[in-house]
Amino acid sequence: MVATTQQKPGADNKKIDDKKTSKTEPKKEEMTEEDQKLEEDLNLLVQRLSEPDASLHKPSLETMRSLIRASTTSMTSVPKPLKFMRPHYVKMKEIFAAIRDTDAKKLCADIISVLAMTSDERTDTINYRILGSHEPIGDWGHEYVRHLAMEMSEEWKKEGTSDARKAELLQLTQDIVSHHMKHNAEVEACDLLIEIERLDLLNSYVQEVDHQRVCLYLLSCAPLTPDPDNVILIRTALQLYLKFGRYLEAVRCAIMVNDVPKVREIFSNAADPLLRKQMAILLGRHQIFLDYEDAEDSDALSELNSNSHLYEYFHSLARELDIMEPKTPEGIYKSHLEHSRPFGNSSQPDSTRMNLAAALVNGFVNCGFGVDKMMAETEEASRWFYKNKEYGMLTAAASQGLIWRWDIDTGLAQCDRFLYINDDYIKAGTLLAIGIISSGIQDACDPASALLLDHVQSDRSIMRVGSILGLGLAYANSKRETVTKNEERGVIFELKKVLSDQKPSAIPEVKGLAGLSLGLILVGTADAEAAMEMLQALMDKSETELTDPNMRFLALGIALIFLQTQDKSDVFVESLRSLPDPFGAMVSTLVEVCAYAGTGNVLKIQKLLHLCSEHYETPVPEKKTNAARKNAASATSATTATTATPARPAAQSGSTDNTTTPAPSGTPTVAPGAPKREGAGAATTSTPATGTTGAATTEGTPAAPAKPDLSSQQAVAVLGIGLIAMGDDIGSQMALRMFGHLIRYGEPVIRRAVPLALSLLSVSNPQLNILETLSKFSHDSDPDTAHNAIFAMGLVGAGTNNARLVAMLRNLASYHYKDQVSLMLVRIAQGLTHLGKGTMTLNPWHSDRQLLSPSALASLLSICYCFLDANNTVLNSRQHYLLYTLVLAMQPRMLTTLVEDEMKPGSLKQMNVSVRVGQAVDVVAQAGKPKTITGFQTHTTPVLLAHGERAELANDEYISVTPHLEGLVILKKNPDYQPVVVSSKK
């Protein structure tokens, strides 16, 4: 026993030594005979190359090349020849230097280039490839080509690369791209060219068979790349589409970069009359209205582009769905289902706000149907109008515009009844209604400009309000001569005159709306001249005058002019900083945010988050408990509640609204966006949103001179995050997480803006997580946050009839039954949820979520911007008519199919065909021809398309002119179609 135990340690040591040697030495015994022979052959070849006999070099290299190429590789292991040659890598480089024969030297360079894949030397693969014999690049296998492409992007970006070197690299790049394109690796080819910023080379390599895949990939990459690369991607896709005669897709690309001259050029090149008509329909849906005087079929094109028949197709959809029966507001509220309180006054008297809400809801629900139960009879309508006061009458009268939306002939006849009444408010509301009816419709007779321009320079400010906003809605994003001409009766010319008008009726409200209307008409044009005139109007104002909430609309107008123009706005953003803070900081941020709206630009979002992280508060004594802080804040709000709304200028006093309700306690007097007053107005200073100034003064501590309160800029920054991130799904999900942080740790001003930003991310798309979040905020202790959340719920569910949301809003109505303002907003949100009885959408994205309608985006931004300072705009019993800016985003979410009418050549008629509707599937960069929809159902057109749904034709009888079945789609007969004959058995 003893002997054996003594021997054990020695045996263990021997085992350990064996392990060590086995780690250091390669395991020869595991190699197969084939592998051993391969290694010996390769070693022998290297040995031969080292010998001075030059005649052996070339045959040895050729044998080595054939051995390396013959090896097969898997994804997980290095090929055997490369593995065995790796120790000889340095030796091979020495051999290369020693070889004199040119052919042998090139062959050696090729082999070293391949070996370099396994070495740690960067760029050797490229360098030796350039020195090599330039054989076809694919001969060494796909992995070698990928390795070259990976090194190429690093080498290209190195500092100090000479032009000669770049030329060599470019030649190699072209070889790589050519190989990729031939071997169905279009995505890798695009990636390499994007990396080295030479997408212009792509045009010569793409073939017709794969141009669709390449363009789809480029367009889907655009939201993920910073500017100006994103525009280059879209323009490259445009060139490819034009190369292969895909004019409709090319027009879509031109619309994406807002290049109207290019749209006109493509239009003139397209010869197919049906294709031109489909383009006109697409431009009309995007609200780009052009003049077609020179075209052969100018009448048909302008008719389709002007959307003048849209209401007929919409009514046919409504009849198909059997929803033409008008609905009343009570039918929407279903207040008998709300939890009634036993001692609460369940039958509330008619209040001004409830009547106002009823008028708006009636308009929203029956929007576009041309029938309702409140406005049909003149006497009934008048009775409704007079239930409201002053500005309430204006808003109620304007709601008739929603009901006859798109139907200009009938609508104007109905409005004509109220244009000759003595009451200015009803007349002004009717003018606004005319603007609403005409919005998105460009009638050649231009009834809107004919009727409204007469009142733009009126002596009564209320008439100017109705006509100016009406013009802004009627001609949003129009590029027609009537609108742009720089002379009397030109819409833009007349609105510019208002900015410098000195008449008593040119109150700040009128000038603010003129700025907003100019912004809507010139949306996304980057028109520096108009923007300069608006900036000049702001510069002429004193710091105190800039505190008027209406001045913020001039700022919004400037921002809308630069919507989606990206770097074109940079110079203007800097010049806006010259305005006094905090107004200047807020406006410059607003313009920058608009310029990058919908682009998904990550760098801009980071910058905005940085702005949101700032804290604007005056220094307070340290060691202060949270409770004391809360008390101080409530004390401040109590003192400031007395000055709820800033005093209107004297010129306006004649038409002030005496029913202005004081702001709920706890809200700042001038909400985010209105700058602080200084100097003489110190008594009515608006407190910063943090409420800590009051704390400092109440304790008798002298307030140190603090940096200006830029909380208004923060509110705009939060909206901006939502506005920029709405461009792509990944960005939207990231933004949701960021908003979670802002809610927890942000200032009150930021918290108020978050619900609005959330709604921008998900317009007319009631996702459960967003609804739950908004529902939580709608019960918030801060009334402003609750108001914004309630309205945001309306935007998120607009036009969806979402059952969960309807139940949430019904519960909210019983929760806020005492608070008239909140209850009015709940009613409006209910109306929005049932927008067009569930047939419409406010979502600005269309054409398979690739095009972002600028006028729709402008309308959503405008209303969310108003709600940042709701107590001084939408909720001040005066400017609730601003809710009608939403009209520009209201579009039917239908699919209607049209074919050429054989009885009347040149015109179109509706044709009902079978289509499959299902959830859209992302097929970017997928191999083969994958299915584009999943979980589909077959319907007969016209059909409704929900958010995220896509349609395709169910059989081959017709061919669609457009690849995206949405809105109005023109079909043509398929000449090769063979109907399926079912033989019946006898």
Side-chain angles (χ1 to χ4, degrees):
M1 286 292 286
V2 178
T4 53
T5 49
Q6 284 174 342
Q7 284 173 350
K8 264 193 176 173
D12 285 351
N13 289 340
K14 196 173 179 187
K15 278 184 188 170
I16 290 164
D17 289 342
D18 286 348
K19 277 186 186 172
K20 281 183 183 170
T21 52
S22 67
K23 274 186 185 174
T24 52
E25 293 175 19
K27 295 182 181 176
K28 302 252 174 165
E29 63 275 15
E30 286 184 12
M31 287 170 60
T32 62
E33 283 181 22
E34 280 180 29
D35 291 351
Q36 276 178 326
K37 184 174 183 318
L38 180 61
E39 187 177 23
E40 284 164 12
D41 289 351
L42 289 168
N43 289 346
L44 180 64
L45 290 169
V46 174
Q47 188 67 36
R48 276 196 193 160
L49 289 168
S50 311
E51 292 170 7
D53 186 356
S55 62
L56 294 172
H57 289 172
K58 196 169 181 189
S60 303
L61 287 167
E62 283 176 348
T63 313
M64 192 181 281
R65 177 175 67 179
S66 58
L67 283 173
I68 291 174
R69 283 190 183 171
S71 69
T72 55
T73 176
S74 69
M75 292 294 286
T76 51
S77 64
V78 178
K80 290 277 179 0
L82 295 188
K83 192 174 173 183
F84 299 145
M85 286 293 292
R86 193 173 179 185
H88 303 300
Y89 181 63
V90 178
K91 180 87 181 210
M92 287 295 293
K93 285 169 89 169
E94 290 167 7
I95 291 166
F96 172 77
I99 292 176
R100 293 283 167 265
D101 181 43
T102 323
D103 291 347
K105 203 174 180 72
K106 284 183 175 177
L107 194 48
C108 187
D110 282 344
I111 291 169
I112 296 173
S113 174
V114 177
L115 291 180
M117 288 199 291
T118 61
S119 79
D120 299 329
E121 302 274 339
R122 308 296 274 177
T123 71
D124 268 8
T125 311
I126 285 182
N127 294 339
Y128 282 97
R129 168 75 198 175
I130 290 169
L131 295 169
S133 57
H134 297 279
E135 290 180 333
I137 203 164
D139 290 357
W140 291 104
H142 189 63
E143 192 59 39
Y144 174 64
V145 181
R146 282 184 61 193
H147 200 89
L148 276 174
M150 187 176 68
E151 283 190 3
M152 177 65 69
S153 60
E154 292 175 17
E155 184 69 9
W156 188 272
K157 290 174 183 171
K158 273 188 184 169
E159 291 293 324
T161 311
S162 66
D163 290 345
R165 172 72 169 160
K166 286 234 167 162
E168 288 176 342
L169 293 174
L170 196 58
Q171 181 57 49
L172 183 53
T173 302
Q174 288 174 323
D175 292 346
I176 296 171
V177 170
S178 173
H179 173 267
H180 277 325
M181 288 313 236
K182 284 175 189 158
H183 293 82
N184 296 339
E186 300 93 350
V187 170
E188 281 94 330
C190 294
D191 285 343
L192 176 58
L193 292 174
I194 291 169
E195 280 289 327
I196 68 167
E197 299 178 350
R198 287 302 305 267
L199 266 173
D200 52 299
L201 300 174
L202 196 59
N203 210 347
S204 48
Y205 293 105
V206 177
Q207 301 300 314
E208 181 157 16
V209 71
D210 50 27
H211 80 280
Q212 291 279 31
R213 277 172 57 94
V214 172
C215 293
L216 186 61
Y217 182 69
L218 291 176
L219 294 178
S220 63
C221 285
L224 306 173
T225 46
D227 66 296
D229 295 353
N230 53 1
V231 177
I232 294 168
L233 287 171
I234 296 170
R235 287 199 180 277
T236 308
L238 191 152
Q239 295 302 329
L240 289 172
Y241 278 135
L242 284 179
K243 179 181 172 184
F244 298 107
R246 311 282 298 195
Y247 292 116
L248 187 79
E249 287 91 332
V251 162
R252 287 173 80 238
C253 295
I255 291 173
M256 283 180 203
V257 289
N258 204 4
D259 187 348
V260 177
K262 191 74 183 173
V263 170
R264 292 181 202 270
E265 183 193 320
I266 298 167
F267 221 105
S268 58
N269 292 341
D272 182 356
L274 284 181
L275 185 65
R276 288 160 66 86
K277 285 175 182 167
Q278 186 69 63
M279 285 185 200
I281 289 171
L282 177 65
L283 292 171
R285 168 69 180 87
H286 199 70
Q287 300 197 9
I288 294 180
F289 304 108
L290 305 176
D291 292 310
Y292 299 98
E293 269 102 44
D294 311 334
E296 300 167 23
D297 45 357
S298 59
D299 292 347
L301 287 178
S302 52
E303 199 172 87
L304 289 167
N305 185 203
S306 67
N307 292 328
S308 52
H309 288 298
L310 184 61
Y311 74 95
E312 293 174 11
Y313 299 125
F314 180 64
H315 287 177
S316 96
L317 169 78
R319 281 191 292 273
E320 186 81 14
L321 298 173
D322 196 21
I323 50 172
M324 283 301 284
E325 185 66 30
K327 283 197 167 188
T328 59
E330 182 49 46
I332 296 301
Y333 304 156
K334 295 193 169 65
S335 44
H336 61 279
L337 296 175
E338 289 166 13
H339 302 300
S340 55
R341 292 154 197 268
F343 301 109
N345 51 341
S346 52
S347 57
Q348 285 189 345
D350 274 356
S351 72
T352 319
R353 289 189 185 277
M354 285 306 99
N355 290 336
L356 185 68
L360 284 164
V361 170
N362 182 59
F364 288 148
V365 173
N366 298 307
C367 179
F369 284 89
V371 284
D372 79 316
K373 292 188 174 173
M374 280 161 59
M375 306 285 173
E377 299 298 322
T378 310
E379 286 179 16
E380 179 71 17
S382 299
R383 200 159 47 239
W384 254 108
F385 298 160
Y386 285 111
K387 279 187 177 180
N388 297 284
K389 296 181 190 168
E390 300 190 348
Y391 277 86
M393 287 156 76
L394 183 153
T395 304
S399 71
Q400 58 190 322
L402 286 170
I403 288 153
W404 288 286
R405 177 95 203 274
W406 303 308
D407 185 356
I408 287 191
D409 297 342
T410 319
L412 292 184
Q414 296 287 346
C415 289
D416 195 55
R417 303 174 295 173
F418 301 106
L419 278 177
Y420 307 103
I421 290 181
N422 287 332
D423 195 297
D424 278 354
Y425 289 98
I426 293 180
K427 270 161 88 172
T430 308
L431 292 177
L432 180 51
I434 292 168
I436 291 170
I437 293 170
S438 311
S439 74
I441 308 285
Q442 296 291 304
D443 194 285
C445 310
D446 283 309
S449 67
L451 289 163
L452 300 183
L453 281 176
D454 297 339
H455 300 283
V456 169
Q457 308 296 342
S458 166
D459 293 331
R460 302 192 296 276
S461 58
I462 186 66
M463 298 299 282
R464 300 184 80 166
V465 164
S467 58
I468 288 173
L469 186 57
L471 281 173
L473 296 178
Y475 293 106
N477 200 21
S478 180
K479 311 275 187 290
R480 288 169 60 247
E481 178 67 22
T482 320
V483 183
T484 53
K485 63 182 180 190
N486 199 18
E487 56 188 64
E488 293 288 328
R489 305 294 289 180
V491 176
I492 293 173
F493 180 79
E494 293 289 342
L495 287 173
K496 281 180 182 171
K497 284 204 302 200
V498 177
L499 296 176
S500 52
D501 195 351
Q502 298 300 323
K503 281 191 201 166
S505 64
I507 55 176
E509 186 176 8
V510 167
K511 291 192 174 180
L513 287 175
L516 175 59
S517 290
L518 278 171
L520 292 172
I521 294 170
L522 294 169
V523 63
T525 55
D527 185 330
E529 186 190 337
M532 266 322 292
E533 287 192 35
M534 285 148 83
L535 176 59
Q536 196 55 51
L538 286 172
M539 284 178 162
D540 294 344
K541 301 277 183 276
S542 68
E543 201 165 330
T544 317
E545 285 176 310
L546 284 177
T547 57
D548 189 304
N550 289 298
M551 289 302 106
R552 302 175 68 217
F553 292 119
L554 274 173
L556 180 59
I558 295 173
L560 292 178
I561 288 176
F562 289 101
L563 190 75
Q564 288 188 289
T565 53
Q566 300 193 24
D567 50 359
K568 289 183 192 167
S569 66
D570 291 352
V571 179
F572 216 84
V573 167
E574 290 308 313
S575 56
L576 284 164
R577 296 191 199 281
S578 61
L579 291 167
D581 278 344
F583 193 77
M586 185 269 292
V587 182
S588 59
T589 306
L590 183 64
V591 173
E592 193 169 11
V593 155
C594 279
Y596 289 90
T599 57
N601 190 307
V602 180
L603 302 174
K604 294 293 170 193
I605 292 178
Q606 286 173 349
K607 185 178 172 186
L608 295 173
L609 281 170
H610 185 69
L611 284 177
C612 294
S613 65
E614 296 286 339
H615 287 263
Y616 296 107
E617 53 188 343
T618 47
V620 291
E622 290 180 16
K623 293 183 184 173
K624 192 167 184 189
T625 62
N626 283 339
R629 222 169 250 193
K630 279 180 187 165
N631 293 342
S634 57
T636 317
S637 58
T639 53
T640 54
T642 51
T643 56
T645 37
R648 301 261 166 201
Q652 207 172 314
S653 57
S655 62
T656 42
D657 181 11
N658 300 324
T659 59
T660 306
T661 52
S665 61
T667 56
T669 52
V670 178
K676 279 202 302 189
R677 298 168 188 254
E678 290 175 12
T684 57
T685 308
S686 69
T687 57
T690 49
T692 45
T693 336
T697 48
T698 48
E699 296 200 3
T701 322
K707 54 185 175 179
D709 170 23
L710 297 178
S711 53
S712 56
Q713 183 190 18
Q714 290 183 317
V716 169
V718 175
L719 263 191
I721 293 170
L723 200 63
I724 294 172
M726 73 195 296
D728 66 309
D729 296 337
I730 302 164
S732 301
Q733 289 166 14
M734 297 292 284
L736 279 178
R737 290 178 57 192
M738 291 178 226
F739 289 145
H741 297 313
L742 290 176
I743 279 292
R744 290 186 189 88
Y745 312 116
E747 306 287 316
V749 171
I750 291 174
R751 293 188 73 233
R752 285 172 200 149
V754 166
L756 299 169
L758 275 173
S759 68
L760 281 178
L761 286 180
S762 183
V763 180
S764 290
N765 176 22
Q767 299 173 59
L768 188 58
N769 55 345
I770 290 183
L771 281 185
E772 295 289 350
T773 310
L774 291 175
S775 176
K776 190 167 73 181
F777 291 132
S778 60
H779 297 80
D780 200 90
S781 55
D782 173 34
D784 286 1
T785 309
H787 292 163
N788 290 356
I790 294 168
F791 181 70
M793 287 168 87
L795 287 185
V796 168
T800 59
N801 286 357
N802 184 281
R804 184 183 287 266
L805 177 59
V806 168
M808 282 180 180
L809 290 170
R810 208 171 283 140
N811 291 337
L812 267 179
S814 51
Y815 179 80
H816 287 297
Y817 80 110
K818 282 185 175 171
D819 178 1
Q820 288 289 300
V821 178
S822 299
L823 190 56
M824 176 179 86
L825 282 170
V826 171
R827 297 308 188 203
I828 290 171
Q830 285 176 311
L832 281 173
T833 306
H834 294 278
L835 182 65
K837 298 177 198 160
T839 57
M840 293 196 185
T841 180
L842 294 181
N843 199 313
W845 293 95
H846 64 102
S847 193
D848 203 24
R849 282 189 55 73
Q850 295 240 316
L851 297 183
L852 182 60
S853 168
S855 46
L857 186 58
S859 80
L860 289 166
L861 173 63
S862 303
I863 195 65
C864 288
Y865 180 72
C866 293
F867 267 89
L868 290 180
D869 187 12
N871 293 329
N872 290 327
T873 51
V874 187
L875 302 181
N876 66 357
S877 295
R878 182 185 177 92
Q879 289 185 309
H880 22 63
Y881 55 77
L882 288 168
L883 284 163
Y884 289 119
T885 52
L886 275 176
V887 164
L888 296 176
M890 292 176 191
Q891 289 288 346
R893 49 187 182 89
M894 63 180 180
L895 164 60
T896 300
T897 43
L898 312 170
V899 293
E900 192 162 20
D901 193 343
E902 291 163 3
M903 308 297 287
K904 289 191 285 182
S907 60
L908 299 169
K909 65 173 182 180
Q910 194 170 329
M911 163 72 79
N912 297 350
V913 298
S914 293
V915 290
R916 290 193 283 262
V917 179
Q919 279 298 310
V921 178
D922 186 12
V923 294
V924 176
Q926 288 191 11
K929 290 189 176 177
K931 291 272 185 280
T932 54
I933 59 173
T934 180
F936 60 80
Q937 292 180 323
T938 306
H939 298 279
T940 306
T941 57
V943 292
L944 278 183
L945 295 177
H947 185 278
E949 284 186 340
R950 195 181 276 165
E952 58 183 38
L953 293 172
N955 56 33
D956 299 332
E957 186 178 353
Y958 289 95
I959 302 172
S960 161
V961 176
T962 166
H964 308 286
L965 300 192
E966 207 172 292
L968 302 178
V969 173
I970 300 176
L971 307 176
K972 50 186 178 185
K973 276 272 190 195
N974 183 356
D976 306 328
Y977 176 66
Q978 296 290 332
V980 181
V981 180
V982 182
S983 57
S984 55
K985 290 182 182 177
K986 290 185 180 178

